[in-house]
Amino acid sequence: MFGFFSKLKTNANRKRLKDEKFAFLFDADTSGEVVVFDTETTGLDVSKDEILSIGAVKIKDNKILTSQTFEVFLQNSKEISSASIKIHGIRPVDLKNAKTTKEGIEEFLHFVGARPLVGYYLEFDVGMINRYTKEMLGITLPNQMIEVSEIYFDKTISLIPQGNIDLRFDTILKNCGVPNMGVHNAVNDAIMTAMIYLKLTQGKK
Amino acid sequence: MSIRDQRKLIESIHPFGLLSKESMDALMQKIDIAYYPSKTLLISPSISSIAFYIIIKGSVTEYIEDEVHDVYGAGDSFDADALIYGDTKAKFVVDEDLICYEIKKEDFLDLMQDKKVQSYFLQDFISRHQQLKEYEQQSELSPFLIARVSDIFLHPACVVDAHISILEALQRLQELRAKVIIVKEEDAYSIVTDTNLRERVLMGENDISKPIASIASKNLVTIDKEDFLFNALLLMTHNGIKRVVVLEHEKIIGVLEQIDLLSYFASHSHLVAVQIDKAQTLEDLKALEQDFRNLIVTLRAKGVKVRYITKLIATLNFKIYKKVFEMCVSEELQDKCALIVMGSEGREDQTLRSDQDNALIIKNGVDKELFSEPMMRLNSYLLELGFPKCNGNVMVSNEFWRRDVTSYKELIEKWTYDMNEESVQNLSIFLDAKCVAGDCELLHELTEYLHGKFHARDDVLAHIAKAVLNFETPLTLFSGFVLEKEYNNKLDLKKGGIFALVHGVRTLSLQYEIKATNTTERIKELNNLGVIDKTFATELIESFDTLSSVRLKAMLEAKTIEEANFINPRTLEKNQRDLLKDSFKIINKFKKFMTFHFHLNMVV
């Protein structure tokens, strides 16, 4: 799965790791689990915006381990704009007990370990996390990435070869018959994404 | 936040809502979500259950010996028994791709340490059914009809000896601030009310030094302290009285006044009854129509059990029948015939007005023609009052249903021999006959005769009983509902369940010569005779109550009579759906019982 080129990249990444405590991120994964995660941010600009919360769940075989749900809120340097509050529903008071970004990100890394990461539009969420890890540890997330919209696309395109495939989250949710769990927040979205993932990978082939 | 959302979802599922905050916190730490594609076999006699499942989306079918036993959909959970007892006869198969919460076996058994949860899962059908009903009522309105006589204020009873003077008795009454005087005679009690005093002392010749017993009325109406308040209301309505004497272990402990009772009920069933009594013309009766409907709506909203509502409605309808009878039949003819109602009216099962099913029994030797005109009038009055026409023309306006006793006996004879469809149908209707006006002895004689005809005629009984199996119990429709495959899926309550139960119980009552016509009372009698055991009897009564209750709801919402028997399970709340499903299971059990009892599998 990992080509020669990506191996090179990983090795270069590994060399930049400043803190050996996090060497486990580069271990071979033996857990048999994957981690689905989602973030809520102050905006969509990876270079400027900040993470407000991270939600994640593990999947093992056909089960979403909601018993080990991960959820963290992070302190922010700027005020949260009222426009973005409308989207993520996180108000300044919700961040009263938030952790420092350092603490929060470290906890997240421990939760994830070397497991593959699963998400919807993962590029963005990983990009957000990478900005923090680069600063803290000198590295980007080395984990294998699995994009659900890609799996969805591959499955659907075989049915309608010339069609335009609608990859919006709500559409995928609906077409996969996954219940909408209500409000959008990091954990809920992670759980819903996890359900989509299971449906796409565990369903009748 | 998110964890709270999931928590809410779980809490909304009975009985998890009963858990304490701590247990709920602990539970949330142990729940996983699992995904199973359709056709997955989750539990079977050879695959022991490893978890308790709560369905988020999808559906699961339970099979017992390859027959569909139950269908579970979103919000349903299964299977506590398999976990508790460690094995199961049933097979659980995923019907539609399943996303569910999973509580591991050990964690579920831990949860069972909680008394409330434990009692819910360990209950048998009846208590679970009742708990669900109570739960449903709590979530709507207070269950007020569980109130008993002992729950309400009782006036002190002024009991005096028969030989003391009227004056002394009155003084005693004053002292106790009671409303009526109860006179203790040698072997019974009698009562002195304001009316007695007015009629027999003030307007009569009586002297206040005479013994109190001389002005007392004999018929003392009593009720036990543990009886339901609603029955007290029925007693008052039925007897047209304003108070009943309350007993505890056969001893008088107080007097229940109508005014207190009414304020307790805050509805006006008695007023309706009084107005029926007072009505002089057809218009007066017509004016009551709306009150009638309001009464039902109010009582139902208050959580009154449907079997009490139907009883009250029947009592009031009988009063109307009686009134109309008196309006149409001249006085000298009134005791020469008996007006009977049959079918659902006779069973006192009808909720809103159902079809007229009535007939007239004429005394032998009286000219039939004399009744022709009055009965035509009676029929037209009833129609005007909104008692719908009977499609089978079982009405006094039809000459066929106006006969003398001998002629009815010949008819019964014919019914029992030719056994064609029409005869069985007429016989079934007649079996529920109840006399509402005139000389009720006439009906009594016919009932005796009818029962006599069926002595040792189990072959004929089996033939009648066969109809119980005519319609499939619509348990499978629920799967249609859950799977959302069907469009406009509606359940026929009457065919699906009520008919089988009513008809089966009716046939059994014929076999065991039970005189009661009300389905609930018949079931109780059958239990007393040992035909069915106590548990089964209660199951049947509860199921009947549930079906009638759902039907009443449908009736109140329906625009036409035909529509009233249909409900769309989609519109029911989850609890009600569960109750209904449980009821249908009991109906299936009852059908099996009937098949066995009458050897129906051998009847062609």
Side-chain angles (χ1 to χ4, degrees), chain A residues 11-48:
Chain A
N11 285 340
N13 197 12
R14 172 71 180 85
K15 280 189 189 119
R16 284 194 289 271
L17 180 65
K18 289 192 279 193
D19 188 343
E20 278 306 312
K21 275 203 309 244
F22 288 90
F24 64 82
L25 290 174
F26 293 89
D27 290 348
D29 173 45
T30 53
S31 66
E33 298 168 351
V34 297
V35 170
V36 189
F37 88 105
D38 186 56
T39 58
E40 296 294 328
T41 57
T42 53
L44 292 176
D45 188 336
V46 181
S47 59
K48 281 202 313 255

Side-chain angles (χ1 to χ4, degrees), chain A:
Chain A
M1 200 171 283
F2 287 88
F4 171 71
F5 186 65
S6 62
K7 210 175 230 166
L8 265 186
K9 241 172 99 183
T10 314
N11 285 340
N13 197 12
R14 172 71 180 85
K15 280 189 189 119
R16 284 194 289 271
L17 180 65
K18 289 192 279 193
D19 188 343
E20 278 306 312
K21 275 203 309 244
F22 288 90
F24 64 82
L25 290 174
F26 293 89
D27 290 348
D29 173 45
T30 53
S31 66
E33 298 168 351
V34 297
V35 170
V36 189
F37 88 105
D38 186 56
T39 58
E40 296 294 328
T41 57
T42 53
L44 292 176
D45 188 336
V46 181
S47 59
K48 281 202 313 255
D49 286 310
E50 295 181 49
I51 297 180
L52 292 167
S53 79
I54 308 173
V57 283
K58 289 177 189 162
I59 296 180
K60 188 176 176 80
D61 302 329
N62 67 335
K63 289 186 187 28
I64 304 168
L65 309 179
T66 40
S67 48
Q68 303 171 37
T69 309
F70 176 85
E71 183 171 42
V72 72
F73 289 90
L74 302 180
Q75 287 167 5
N76 267 255
S77 57
K78 285 170 282 191
E79 250 185 43
I80 312 169
S81 77
S82 57
S84 75
I85 292 182
K86 280 182 200 154
I87 297 167
H88 50 64
I90 299 173
R91 302 156 301 168
V93 324
D94 296 318
L95 297 178
K96 242 196 192 149
N97 297 318
K99 302 201 159 125
T100 61
T101 39
K102 186 167 180 302
E103 270 179 311
I105 297 288
E106 282 184 1
E107 278 179 21
F108 175 69
L109 293 178
H110 281 289
F111 181 79
V112 173
R115 296 174 185 83
L117 289 170
V118 177
Y120 170 79
Y121 193 21
L122 200 57
E123 197 186 329
F124 172 76
D125 299 288
V126 170
M128 289 301 295
I129 303 269
N130 281 346
R131 213 180 76 218
Y132 293 89
T133 51
K134 257 187 228 157
E135 197 184 303
M136 290 159 52
L137 306 170
I139 57 161
T140 55
L141 286 172
N143 310 53
Q144 187 199 342
M145 312 286 172
I146 301 167
E147 172 63 46
V148 290
S149 62
E150 222 170 274
I151 311 177
Y152 177 79
F153 183 88
D154 290 347
K155 288 228 160 184
T156 324
I157 198 75
S158 57
L159 301 174
I160 26 169
Q162 271 98 37
N164 269 327
I165 296 173
D166 183 350
L167 289 179
R168 277 175 300 177
F169 187 70
D170 286 347
T171 313
I172 300 181
L173 203 61
K174 210 176 117 208
N175 290 343
C176 286
V178 169
N180 201 323
M181 308 277 288
V183 269
H184 281 287
N185 59 48
V187 173
N188 264 2
D189 285 359
I191 291 176
M192 285 190 278
T193 310
M195 288 183 189
I196 294 173
Y197 175 76
L198 279 183
K199 183 95 179 188
L200 291 172
T201 55
Q202 300 275 322
K204 282 162 288 178
K205 306 268 149 64

Side-chain angles (χ1 to χ4, degrees), chain B residues 320-583:
Chain B
I320 292 182
Y321 260 107
K322 201 170 166 147
K323 197 78 197 178
V324 175
F325 177 78
E326 283 160 9
M327 285 175 182
C328 298
V329 182
S330 65
E331 225 165 291
E332 67 272 17
L333 285 178
Q334 282 182 13
D335 61 350
K336 296 193 176 56
C337 64
L339 178 63
I340 57 173
V341 294
M342 300 176 288
S344 64
E345 288 185 303
R347 289 194 306 273
E348 300 174 57
D349 284 345
Q350 96 268 36
T351 34
L352 287 176
R353 287 184 188 154
S354 44
D355 300 8
Q356 282 190 43
D357 279 321
N358 45 43
L360 191 75
I361 309 170
I362 302 163
K363 216 174 198 161
N364 279 338
V366 180
D367 184 8
K368 246 171 53 172
E369 282 313 304
L370 289 175
F371 293 94
S372 157
E373 188 277 334
M375 285 304 117
M376 296 313 261
R377 196 140 53 94
L378 185 126
N379 182 250
S380 70
Y381 278 15
L382 288 174
L383 287 175
E384 238 183 285
L385 285 173
F387 287 82
K389 206 173 137 194
C390 168
N391 292 331
N393 205 10
V394 184
M395 297 189 288
V396 287
S397 53
N398 180 355
E399 206 184 351
F400 185 86
W401 292 102
R402 273 194 327 257
R403 303 165 175 255
D404 61 22
V405 175
T406 313
S407 167
Y408 270 112
K409 283 183 180 168
E410 282 161 16
L411 194 60
I412 291 171
E413 188 90 0
K414 179 173 167 296
W415 286 341
T416 42
Y417 276 100
D418 69 8
M419 277 292 138
N420 61 32
E421 202 182 327
E422 195 195 342
S423 292
V424 173
Q425 206 170 3
N426 282 337
L427 178 66
S428 300
I429 294 173
F430 189 78
L431 277 172
D432 296 334
K434 189 152 180 129
C435 172
V436 285
D439 180 7
C440 292
E441 266 309 304
L442 298 173
L443 174 63
H444 190 71
E445 190 186 334
L446 288 181
T447 313
E448 297 263 287
Y449 181 78
L450 179 60
H451 282 161
K453 279 281 152 203
F454 279 89
H455 270 315
R457 292 297 307 274
D458 287 1
D459 53 332
V460 187
L461 283 167
H463 194 82
I464 301 173
K466 209 177 56 185
V468 165
L469 306 179
N470 274 1
F471 308 105
E472 281 283 321
T473 311
L475 256 180
T476 44
L477 252 188
F478 280 99
S479 87
F481 163 66
V482 173
L483 299 177
E484 290 170 18
K485 275 177 193 155
E486 305 286 326
Y487 32 92
N488 214 3
N489 230 330
K490 289 211 166 186
L491 274 178
D492 187 333
L493 286 171
K494 194 170 173 183
K495 278 189 188 166
I498 295 177
F499 174 78
L501 185 59
V502 165
H503 187 71
V505 168
R506 174 164 55 207
T507 315
L508 288 169
S509 301
L510 174 61
Q511 185 183 21
Y512 294 95
E513 302 184 16
I514 291 166
K515 295 235 169 60
T517 53
N518 180 269
T519 301
T520 308
E521 274 158 33
R522 279 173 168 170
I523 295 172
K524 283 183 187 160
E525 282 291 313
L526 286 170
N527 171 227
N528 291 342
L529 292 172
V531 182
I532 50 178
D533 64 28
K534 176 99 186 150
T535 321
F536 194 30
T538 319
E539 283 175 349
L540 289 174
I541 292 174
E542 286 296 331
S543 301
F544 185 59
D545 198 61
T546 300
L547 290 170
S548 313
S549 159
V550 174
R551 188 174 177 209
L552 175 62
K553 181 176 183 281
M555 278 186 168
L556 288 171
E557 285 159 10
K559 286 168 200 82
T560 62
I561 290 198
E562 290 76 41
E563 219 177 282
N565 280 320
F566 291 93
I567 56 133
N568 184 349
R570 206 180 288 260
T571 61
L572 295 175
E573 297 204 355
K574 175 160 162 37
N575 286 327
Q576 269 202 321
R577 230 164 58 213
D578 286 352
L579 288 172
L580 201 57
K581 229 157 59 171
D582 275 353
S583 303

Side-chain angles (χ1 to χ4, degrees), chain B residues 12-198:
Chain B
S12 71
I13 296 164
H14 199 63
F16 297 104
L18 301 173
L19 288 175
S20 65
K21 195 184 157 295
E22 289 74 29
S23 331
M24 198 66 203
D25 286 341
L27 178 62
M28 290 312 296
Q29 301 286 316
K30 290 171 186 154
I31 291 189
D32 287 336
I33 295 176
Y35 170 83
Y36 298 98
S38 70
K39 301 209 173 61
T40 309
L41 180 60
L42 289 173
I43 310 172
S44 83
S46 54
I47 307 173
S48 62
S49 177
I50 47 157
F52 184 71
Y53 304 90
I54 302 169
I55 300 178
I56 299 172
K57 193 156 181 186
S59 68
V60 170
T61 309
E62 176 182 357
Y63 297 91
I64 293 181
E65 288 159 3
D66 288 325
E67 262 181 57
V68 175
H69 181 67
D70 204 346
V71 178
Y72 303 87
D76 291 338
S77 59
F78 60 93
D79 181 75
D81 287 356
L83 289 172
I84 298 166
Y85 303 112
D87 79 319
T88 177
K89 288 186 294 178
K91 209 166 77 180
F92 292 81
V93 181
V94 176
D95 205 12
E96 185 198 79
D97 285 6
L98 179 73
I99 299 174
C100 61
Y101 287 115
E102 257 182 35
I103 304 175
K104 284 183 214 76
K105 185 173 180 170
E106 315 78 86
D107 295 331
F108 179 75
L109 295 177
D110 271 352
L111 206 61
M112 293 284 291
Q113 304 300 320
D114 190 300
K115 283 279 174 299
K116 289 176 201 150
V117 176
Q118 189 187 51
S119 63
Y120 177 77
F121 285 116
L122 288 181
Q123 276 160 1
D124 52 2
F125 165 81
I126 298 168
S127 15
R128 187 168 353 192
H129 208 79
Q130 275 167 352
Q131 201 188 342
L132 269 173
K133 273 191 189 171
E134 266 173 44
Y135 174 77
E136 185 189 16
Q137 284 170 353
Q138 276 164 10
S139 49
E140 282 176 17
L141 285 151
S142 65
F144 96 136
L145 248 231
I146 309 167
R148 292 173 193 270
V149 172
S150 51
D151 296 337
I152 199 174
F153 173 77
L154 297 178
H155 292 269
C158 168
V159 186
V160 300
D161 281 334
H163 57 78
I164 71 167
S165 72
I166 297 174
L167 181 65
E168 280 175 283
L170 282 172
Q171 282 164 345
R172 185 104 181 88
L173 181 75
Q174 194 85 26
E175 276 168 38
L176 286 170
R177 293 172 179 277
K179 300 247 168 155
V180 288
I181 302 167
I182 297 162
V183 184
K184 187 171 194 267
E185 297 189 38
E186 261 172 45
D187 50 353
Y189 288 99
S190 54
I191 188 166
V192 178
T193 64
D194 288 352
T195 317
N196 295 126
L197 288 168
R198 191 171 64 238

